[in-house]
Amino acid sequence: MNEYDKFSLDGRPIYFERGQSILEAALAAGVYIPNLCHHPEFKPHGSCKLCTVKVNGRFGSACTIKAMPGQEVASDTPELNGNRRVLLQMLFVEGNHFCPGCEKSGNCKLQALAYDIEMLTPHYRHFYPVREIDATHPDVLLDFNRCIMCELCVRASRDVDGKSVFALAGRGTASHVVVNSPSGKLGDTDFALTDKAASVCPVGAILSKRVGFAVPIGERQYDVDPISAQASARQAEEA
Amino acid sequence: MTTTQTGLGTYLERILKRHGRDSGRLVQILRDVQAEFGRVSAEAMAILAERLSLPIGDVESTRDFYSFLTSEPTGTYRILFSDNITDRMLGNQAIFDHMARRLGVSRGVVSADGLASLDYTSCTGMCDQGPAILVNGMAITSMTLRRADQICELVRSRVPVAEWPNEFFRVDHNIRRADMLLGTDFTPGSALRAAVAMGREAYLAEVKRSNIRGRGGAGFTTGVKWEAARNARGDARYVVCNADEGEPGTFKDRVLMQFYPERVFEGMALAAYVVGAKLGLVYLRGEYLYLKAPLEEKLSELRAARLLGDSILGVDGFDFDIEIHMGAGAYICGEETALIESLEGKPGRPRIRPPFPVSFGYRGQPTVVNNVETLCKATEIALHGGAWYEGFGTKQSTGTKILSVSGDVERPGIYEYPFGVRISQVLDDAGAKNPKAVQISGAAGQCLTTREFGRRIAFEDVPTAGAFMVFADHRDMFEVARNFAHFFQHESCGFCTPCRVGTRIQAGIMDKIAAGHGTQYEMNELQHLREVMRTASHCGLGQTAGGAIADTIAKFREDYEKRLARKDFEPAFDLDAALARAREITGRDDADSRMLSDA
């Protein structure tokens, strides 16, 4: 890392390594930029758009734009957070998200971001889509009602597990994750609870069976600290 | 179809063989399966997945992305009505309803005997000779009630589409103003000879000198694109002709492909000569299926004339050939990286850029993607040089531009002008009747009013890919914008949140206003939504999807306001309507079973 490799994020200097995206560099420096489809172990995807920032006055995804010396990046502004609130509202009305009954509550990135960005209502008219639950697998439950189309499971299963168990099919709001088996059921695949794809879902669409509220609500990951505080906490731990 | 599993396998094998068992040709394979069986069934998918060594989910993913591919059977006669606003203005809905009655089918439902299915589809590019329909993929123009009756008769008598009267399928060029491209004779091979005589470097220098910019809308400098693709590292290079003319209101590429194919193909060969490509791919939108056979015939002629193939014009190492790929009903594939994904057999979801196709395109190799018209213009530069070319148009927008004029004009069709022509000039030439608005460059473009008719068609003033839809003063601009809103909802690829969800919310709000339940609140919502889609969307589709609404709100606010309820807010949820099902179940319709309106 050299002295000149830094950009400015909301006025703070962020040092980065060549090749890092703005998002990677910011997170590494302990500065949080909201994100959902990003995962440090996977190539940037750029679909959720929560990480939309302004780089030298132009809008773009922090996860796909490479950090460059001298960039002026704005992220934590009323305008950008306002847009993020709208994006979260869109995700909430597009699916069927009933947090109180969801085992992922408190560990869910979508919910955590909604709290953090102060999304008080879903605002838009709910789509109430009819989506299926797939309980055919002995160890894993799929509840597509909560899917936000981030494709992390698709990427993990293809790129890490080498199984390509999932794919994104359809178009527009008819987009949906499908399971790669002639029956379309997870039970007919070689998916395993130990797969990377079983643990990457940011929401409660892929859940381990026979685990119910082992950690009580109120003591879960994002119940303790807001999601935005975790990047700086992680960085403090590592330092 | 009563084909057994093994019979199905045999048929599919034939199709797979035709495509060299190349999983990269999956869209082409699925098109053939759809044409043969009227659908791509789960059984067919399983067999294809196995024989192409693809996960079945990937096959499903591709199938479900394209409008013309279906999992359930369509009618033996699949009739799709083009539903651009220009088709509506020509009365397509009345003809649709008439046909639905005559055939006894409802929208989107196959008739009980499996004979016919009827639905709407996005603009089929026949705006100057609409209303237009597609029957089993073949374009039929100038629909009338009489023609609809004739078609119903043919359907009921089960006459194969190939035996229907030729005049149904007549597609006119309607060239109303020809300039340097449309008005000049062209001898196949002449541009290539000129370029080869100059040499690669010199010809590229002429292209750069001409300052020609891409005609697909973005206006990127063609010479710079070619040079970048030539200089990029790669094992192979490709030239792609973007003939996925899906922007509502555009049809000039259809005319060029039908009446000037030598120009298009020679332009591709010129690009190949400069960048060193061996293979060219034409991505022809599915709606232009009727052009496929004649274009393939034209390619054979060019091969016979040694203008395609190995050692073109005897130049050692100048080997180049062209394949035609068909789209399958997806507007987004006009975006160059989505187009490349589709060429590779995948759903047309735009890639992250950079890298750009010039360095990482088709199959990960350097690829030039040019619009049909741009490629035609490349032949002019070979023949006459960059300095000559630069003499036409304006300083920043050189050469001529072809406009597709439709809507409320006496002479709809194709108009070629030097760049810099005023909107008013085009309106006069086309015989516009009391125009109140022009939608430039399609649903994704901008809406201009009478005050702006003095502006010029040019990259530096009013840029356009070519669509020019005229609306007379009796037209309702709210309905124009609502038509576009539904178009975008239908065509959003679904990849990014703001476009996938935003286009649907937007169309929903427009419908709420149309139903008389909108208020000032909805007007503000539309504008806020537009800002989020514009600034956060992954590609141009979402970025422009709210533009027509924002423009029409700004310029034709009265068309919205006359529909607004005089309240601060009205809920979208209608409690009385929601009780309808309960009334039906209980067989009640008394006063107590209804919510009284508080008005």
Side-chain angles (χ1 to χ4, degrees):
Chain A
M1 205 178 293
N2 91 42
E3 176 60 22
Y4 301 102
D5 285 347
K6 66 173 180 191
F7 63 88
S8 157
L9 176 58
D10 295 325
R12 299 167 60 170
I14 304 283
Y15 292 88
F16 66 92
E17 286 168 35
R18 290 286 162 118
Q20 274 183 321
S21 67
I22 290 173
L23 180 63
E24 285 166 337
L27 294 177
V31 181
Y32 186 69
I33 296 175
N35 63 84
L36 281 173
C37 69
H38 167 79
H39 190 289
E41 293 167 46
F42 297 102
K43 274 195 296 193
H45 194 56
S47 70
C48 76
K49 299 296 170 193
L50 262 295
C51 74
T52 301
V53 291
K54 258 184 171 170
V55 183
N56 300 331
R58 292 187 60 171
F59 291 92
S61 305
C63 68
T64 58
I65 300 176
K66 293 269 175 268
M68 301 286 264
Q71 279 165 333
E72 292 284 338
V73 183
S75 173
D76 190 10
T77 67
E79 179 194 26
L80 289 164
N81 286 331
N83 288 357
R84 288 177 183 132
R85 210 170 291 128
V86 171
L87 293 173
L88 288 167
Q89 287 164 332
M90 287 177 171
L91 290 171
F92 270 92
V93 301
E94 183 192 23
N96 298 309
H97 299 275
F98 302 105
C99 299
C102 179
E103 152 58 25
K104 193 78 174 205
S105 181
N107 293 324
C108 169
K109 282 181 80 175
L110 178 68
Q111 182 197 42
L113 265 177
Y115 277 124
D116 209 42
I117 298 180
E118 296 175 333
M119 187 196 106
L120 300 177
T121 72
H123 188 80
Y124 298 108
R125 201 176 168 180
H126 281 279
F127 293 180
Y128 294 125
V130 176
R131 294 195 190 157
E132 286 190 9
I133 291 176
D134 178 353
T136 56
H137 193 278
D139 301 320
V140 177
L141 174 75
L142 292 182
D143 186 345
F144 290 120
N145 286 293
R146 301 158 182 166
C147 178
I148 56 169
M149 322 291 162
C150 70
E151 291 186 72
L152 269 169
C153 60
V154 177
R155 291 180 274 160
S157 185
R158 183 189 60 213
D159 302 342
V160 178
D161 307 325
K163 293 183 182 177
S164 290
V165 168
F166 303 104
L168 187 71
R171 191 168 88 193
T173 42
S175 297
H176 59 284
V177 169
V178 293
V179 172
N180 266 317
S181 65
S183 65
K185 298 293 180 200
L186 193 64
D188 294 329
T189 68
D190 54 355
F191 191 71
L193 193 54
T194 49
D195 284 1
K196 183 77 187 172
S199 64
V200 290
C201 182
V203 293
I206 303 178
L207 292 174
S208 172
K209 282 187 175 175
R210 292 177 297 280
V211 180
F213 303 93
V215 177
I217 284 180
E219 294 172 25
R220 297 175 165 206
Q221 190 179 5
Y222 304 120
D223 295 336
V224 182
D225 284 313
I227 191 166
S228 59
Q230 308 214 346
S232 53
R234 202 169 309 131
Q235 201 237 3
E237 263 169 44
E238 283 165 15
Chain B
M1 306 284 156
T2 52
T3 330
T4 60
Q5 177 83 15
T6 44
L8 179 65
T10 317
Y11 274 108
L12 292 177
E13 194 53 43
R14 214 175 293 163
I15 291 170
L16 285 166
K17 220 173 142 194
R18 197 182 306 154
H19 295 285
R21 288 177 167 273
D22 180 358
S23 62
R25 295 184 60 87
L26 184 60
V27 177
Q28 309 306 303
I29 293 167
L30 294 176
R31 275 193 61 100
D32 285 0
V33 174
Q34 179 80 35
E36 182 94 17
F37 300 99
R39 67 156 160 170
V40 182
S41 64
E43 300 78 48
M45 276 203 318
I47 295 172
L48 291 175
E50 193 202 320
R51 298 193 186 167
L52 291 169
S53 307
L54 284 173
I56 191 167
D58 288 4
V59 180
E60 189 174 355
S61 178
T62 297
R63 178 194 69 184
D64 289 354
F65 189 83
Y66 297 93
S67 295
F68 295 165
L69 305 175
T70 62
S71 56
E72 295 304 316
T74 63
T76 310
Y77 296 87
R78 184 187 192 188
I79 302 169
L80 296 172
F81 272 68
S82 175
D83 200 24
N84 187 25
I85 185 68
T86 53
D87 294 289
R88 289 209 184 172
M89 284 153 53
L90 293 165
N92 71 333
Q93 288 168 311
I95 302 172
F96 184 100
D97 294 342
H98 177 76
M99 226 162 157
R101 267 195 311 274
R102 292 276 322 255
L103 292 170
V105 295
S106 359
R107 178 178 180 185
V109 183
V110 183
S111 60
D113 54 3
L115 192 59
S117 56
L118 204 57
D119 210 336
Y120 285 104
T121 189
S122 298
C123 179
T124 61
M126 299 288 172
C127 323
D128 58 333
Q129 44 204 305
I133 65 171
L134 296 172
V135 179
N136 293 351
M138 297 301 278
I140 295 181
T141 58
S142 309
M143 283 296 292
T144 56
L145 289 174
R146 204 180 104 75
R147 187 163 277 192
D149 284 338
Q150 290 172 306
I151 288 173
C152 290
E153 219 33 67
L154 290 163
V155 167
R156 252 182 302 202
S157 325
R158 298 177 186 259
V159 179
V161 176
E163 292 166 25
W164 290 15
N166 279 335
E167 80 240 30
F168 285 12
F169 303 98
R170 203 179 89 190
V171 179
D172 294 325
H173 58 60
N174 289 337
I175 294 172
R176 313 286 186 177
R177 188 183 194 281
D179 207 296
M180 59 196 269
L181 175 58
L182 302 178
T184 311
D185 286 335
F186 177 72
T187 312
S190 58
L192 270 177
R193 272 187 199 95
V196 167
M198 270 183 249
R200 276 186 179 85
E201 288 308 310
Y203 173 56
L204 176 60
E206 290 299 321
V207 174
K208 288 170 77 176
R209 169 79 198 270
S210 74
N211 204 19
I212 177 177
R213 296 167 69 177
R215 298 311 204 249
F220 194 79
T221 312
T222 307
V224 173
K225 188 185 269 188
W226 288 9
E227 190 172 40
R230 186 199 61 178
N231 293 344
R233 236 177 278 169
D235 305 323
R237 272 156 237 282
Y238 300 96
V239 171
V240 172
C241 168
N242 185 346
D244 191 52
E245 184 177 47
E247 190 63 54
T250 319
F251 46 88
K252 48 109 187 158
D253 292 341
R254 185 243 301 154
V255 173
L256 292 172
M257 294 305 293
Q258 186 171 349
F259 298 96
Y260 298 80
E262 302 93 346
R263 288 264 196 186
V264 183
F265 293 145
E266 194 144 332
M268 291 177 74
L270 287 167
Y273 178 61
V274 169
V275 305
K278 304 274 178 229
L279 180 63
L281 301 152
V282 175
Y283 190 94
L284 186 66
R285 70 183 304 220
E287 289 80 351
Y288 295 166
L289 177 64
Y290 79 101
L291 289 174
K292 187 171 186 249
L295 286 173
E296 278 176 342
E297 204 171 303
K298 183 58 70 180
L299 287 174
S300 303
E301 282 173 30
L302 293 172
R303 283 182 201 115
R306 307 288 309 270
L307 293 171
L308 284 177
D310 290 344
S311 307
I312 293 172
L313 295 177
V315 179
D316 217 23
F318 184 14
D319 310 332
F320 181 66
D321 211 328
I322 295 173
E323 280 177 20
I324 296 172
H325 277 240
M326 296 303 298
Y331 164 72
I332 189 59
C333 291
E335 196 279 342
E336 60 178 7
T337 61
L339 184 152
I340 290 170
E341 289 284 298
S342 184
L343 279 177
E344 294 179 355
K346 294 180 270 187
R349 297 199 186 94
R351 295 174 176 174
I352 295 169
R353 304 187 304 174
F356 291 94
V358 286
S359 58
F360 190 90
Y362 180 63
R363 304 198 174 192
Q365 301 299 324
T367 304
V368 164
V369 184
N370 279 144
N371 174 261
V372 173
E373 188 182 348
T374 313
L375 291 163
C376 289
K377 303 303 277 181
T379 60
E380 295 177 336
I381 298 165
L383 287 168
H384 305 293
W388 171 87
Y389 186 92
E390 207 190 10
F392 296 84
T394 72
K395 198 164 183 327
Q396 289 175 63
S397 311
T398 54
T400 60
K401 180 76 193 91
I402 302 176
L403 301 176
S404 316
V405 180
S406 63
D408 294 316
V409 293
E410 275 164 27
R411 293 173 294 280
I414 294 293
Y415 291 76
E416 183 186 14
Y417 291 99
F419 265 118
V421 64
R422 289 187 195 279
I423 308 287
S424 54
Q425 170 89 51
V426 183
L427 289 169
D428 287 347
D429 291 352
K433 299 165 252 178
N434 304 319
K436 84 165 180 184
V438 181
Q439 182 73 20
I440 305 275
S441 210
Q446 52 179 319
C447 182
L448 302 182
T449 70
T450 42
R451 280 197 306 280
E452 297 159 292
F453 289 169
R455 294 179 64 185
R456 297 170 186 277
I457 298 287
F459 292 108
E460 63 272 25
D461 190 359
V462 182
T464 177
F468 193 104
M469 290 184 275
V470 181
F471 303 97
D473 57 8
H474 66 287
R475 297 292 177 189
D476 182 342
M477 297 310 289
F478 169 81
E479 281 302 339
V480 174
R482 187 158 81 103
N483 175 266
F484 294 161
H486 281 277
F487 167 77
F488 285 120
Q489 180 195 345
H490 183 254
E491 297 296 344
S492 169
C493 84
F495 173 76
C496 74
T497 312
C499 177
R500 180 181 70 237
V501 188
T503 53
R504 175 154 164 197
I505 294 176
Q506 176 175 269
I509 295 176
M510 292 298 277
D511 288 347
K512 186 178 172 184
I513 296 175
H517 299 302
T519 61
Q520 202 53 53
Y521 175 86
E522 274 72 29
M523 300 287 277
N524 299 335
E525 283 292 290
L526 285 171
Q527 302 193 56
H528 186 206
L529 207 51
R530 191 255 176 148
E531 273 316 291
V532 177
M533 287 197 287
R534 186 180 69 81
T535 58
S537 292
H538 178 61
C539 79
L541 194 157
Q543 287 160 13
T544 58
I549 291 176
D551 277 2
T552 47
I553 286 180
K555 296 171 184 176
F556 298 98
R557 203 178 174 89
E558 63 281 5
D559 286 349
Y560 287 74
E561 287 194 327
K562 68 183 180 201
R563 295 183 160 79
L564 299 185
R566 300 199 179 284
K567 295 178 184 170
D568 292 334
F569 177 74
E570 225 183 81
F573 182 72
D574 181 342
L575 190 50
D576 187 62
L579 288 172
R581 178 95 182 107
R583 280 194 295 270
E584 193 187 315
I585 292 168
T586 55
R588 282 179 60 179
D589 197 24
D590 54 297
D592 287 347
S593 70
R594 292 191 167 277
M595 295 300 297
L596 294 177
S597 103
D598 54 2

